[in-house]
């Protein structure tokens, strides 16, 4: 803070973690990324989906994507010992967080979970989903055809392209779904309660409405919870 003996670190945002690592001013493991920042020039090799639809395809299909209701960003958060998972979504306009239990981490498990969930919702309530390139979403074509929903993929190693979902996952971790939890030992009711807690907190970016309030404004006929 100004006037509190602040020190000029003399570095840009892009080199902040590298400077922290070499400086006695901070303990790098206490920072959000815990010193695990990928090196400059790193090329992501994981999760290259075949024939995937890109963000350029999304821009062409949905020119009003940034302001149109019904577009989801999706991912999974992984539990203890990488043995369990929760599927997560964030609806872009309302910022509503959706969290679903799933029987496993394989593509067939994720496909089953999403089909089961979407089958209980009005058809075409959601227009699109943007996933990362994880192999758990390999059955995306089947899901897209069955549910008549457009599915796109962010570029590998670019979580900022699904920034709302990434931020939401951090909130879920903080509020009750930490990495050390075995998600196979908790119920959908518990998982939903963690998401609902966050969905009932007003946000400045929503003019101090809650995500749940904004979501319901867009689908007043839907008893979502």
């Amino acid at each position: 803070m100004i006037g509190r003996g602040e020190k000029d670190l003399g570095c840009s945002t892009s080199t902040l973690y590298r400077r922290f690592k070499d400086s006695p001013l901070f303990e790098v493991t206490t920072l959000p990324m815990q010193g695990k920042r990928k090196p400059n020039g790193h090329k992501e090799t994981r999760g290259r989906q075949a024939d995937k639809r890109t963000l350029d395809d999304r821009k062409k299909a949905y020119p009003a994507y940034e302001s149109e209701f019904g577009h989801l960003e999706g991912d999974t958060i992984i539990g203890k010992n990488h043995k369990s998972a929760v599927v997560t979504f964030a609806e872009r306009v309302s910022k509503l967080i959706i969290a679903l239990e799933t029987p496993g981490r394989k593509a067939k498990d994720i496909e089953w979970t999403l089909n089961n969930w979407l089958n209980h919702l009005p058809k075409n309530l959601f227009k699109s989903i943007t996933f990362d390139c994880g192999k758990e979403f390999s059955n995306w074509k089947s899901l897209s055809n069955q549910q008549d929903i457009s599915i796109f993929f962010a570029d590998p190693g670019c979580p900022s392209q699904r920034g709302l979902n990434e931020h939401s996952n951090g909130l879920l971790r903080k509020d009750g779904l930490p990495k050390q939890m075995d998600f196979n030992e908790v119920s959908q009711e518990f998982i939903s309660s963690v998401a609902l807690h966050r969905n009932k907190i007003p946000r400045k970016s929503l003019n101090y409405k809650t995500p749940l309030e904004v979501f319901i404004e867009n689908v007043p006929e839907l008893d979502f919870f």
Side-chain angles (χ1 to χ4, degrees):
M1 296 179 64
I2 300 298
R4 297 295 295 270
E6 66 274 8
K7 297 180 183 293
D8 183 6
L9 296 178
C11 63
S12 66
T13 301
S14 63
T15 61
L16 203 54
Y17 270 85
R18 187 164 61 250
R19 182 62 182 268
F20 283 168
K21 185 176 181 180
D22 298 332
S23 171
L25 295 174
F26 294 93
E27 173 54 53
V28 70
T29 58
T30 66
L31 299 173
M33 293 183 66
Q34 299 179 342
K36 297 177 182 178
R37 181 181 179 274
K38 294 175 182 177
N40 291 338
H42 172 81
K43 293 184 178 180
E44 186 60 67
T45 59
R46 298 173 296 127
R48 295 180 176 178
Q49 298 289 352
D51 303 319
K52 68 179 181 181
R53 301 183 70 191
T54 67
L55 300 194
D56 286 337
D57 296 319
R58 188 184 70 187
K59 185 176 181 179
K60 295 174 183 177
Y62 299 101
Y65 175 82
E66 295 296 333
S67 59
E68 186 177 54
F69 176 83
H71 297 287
L72 301 173
E73 296 178 2
D75 197 6
T76 57
I77 56 176
I78 307 304
K80 184 178 180 180
N81 298 324
H82 294 260
K83 299 296 185 181
S84 60
V86 171
V87 185
T88 66
F89 294 102
E91 196 285 315
R92 286 185 51 82
V93 168
S94 64
K95 296 181 170 56
L96 188 87
I97 300 173
I98 301 161
L100 307 171
E101 67 174 340
T102 183
R105 294 182 56 197
K106 295 182 179 179
K108 64 179 182 179
D109 300 314
I110 303 302
E111 181 185 11
W112 179 90
T113 297
L114 299 190
N115 273 324
N116 184 58
W117 174 59
L118 291 168
N119 284 340
H120 287 84
L121 298 177
K123 202 72 172 177
N124 303 125
L125 171 65
F126 297 118
K127 300 177 179 66
S128 78
I129 306 173
T130 300
F131 289 121
D132 70 5
C133 289
K135 62 183 180 180
E136 65 267 33
F137 303 120
S138 297
N139 291 357
W140 67 271
K141 288 184 180 179
S142 174
L143 177 67
S144 179
N145 291 334
Q146 291 185 62
Q147 300 298 334
D148 189 25
I149 188 170
S150 300
I151 295 179
F152 305 96
F153 289 91
D155 297 327
C158 296
S160 62
Q161 294 179 351
R162 299 170 19 270
L164 179 60
N165 186 214
E166 289 289 326
H167 177 67
S168 299
N169 287 348
L171 297 177
L172 291 174
R173 292 288 200 191
K174 177 182 177 182
D175 290 346
L177 299 177
K179 291 182 179 180
Q180 63 269 26
M181 176 178 285
D182 184 348
F183 299 140
N184 292 326
E185 296 181 354
V186 298
S187 66
Q188 178 62 60
E189 182 179 10
F190 173 80
I191 293 170
S192 294
S193 71
V194 176
L196 186 57
H197 166 73
R198 184 56 58 173
N199 288 330
K200 288 186 174 182
I201 296 177
R203 294 199 182 193
K204 182 179 180 180
S205 60
L206 298 175
N207 293 320
Y208 297 100
K209 294 181 179 180
T210 69
L212 185 58
E213 288 171 337
V214 176
F215 186 89
I216 292 175
E217 286 176 358
N218 285 273
V219 283
E221 75 283 357
L222 179 63
D223 183 13
F224 192 76
F225 293 98

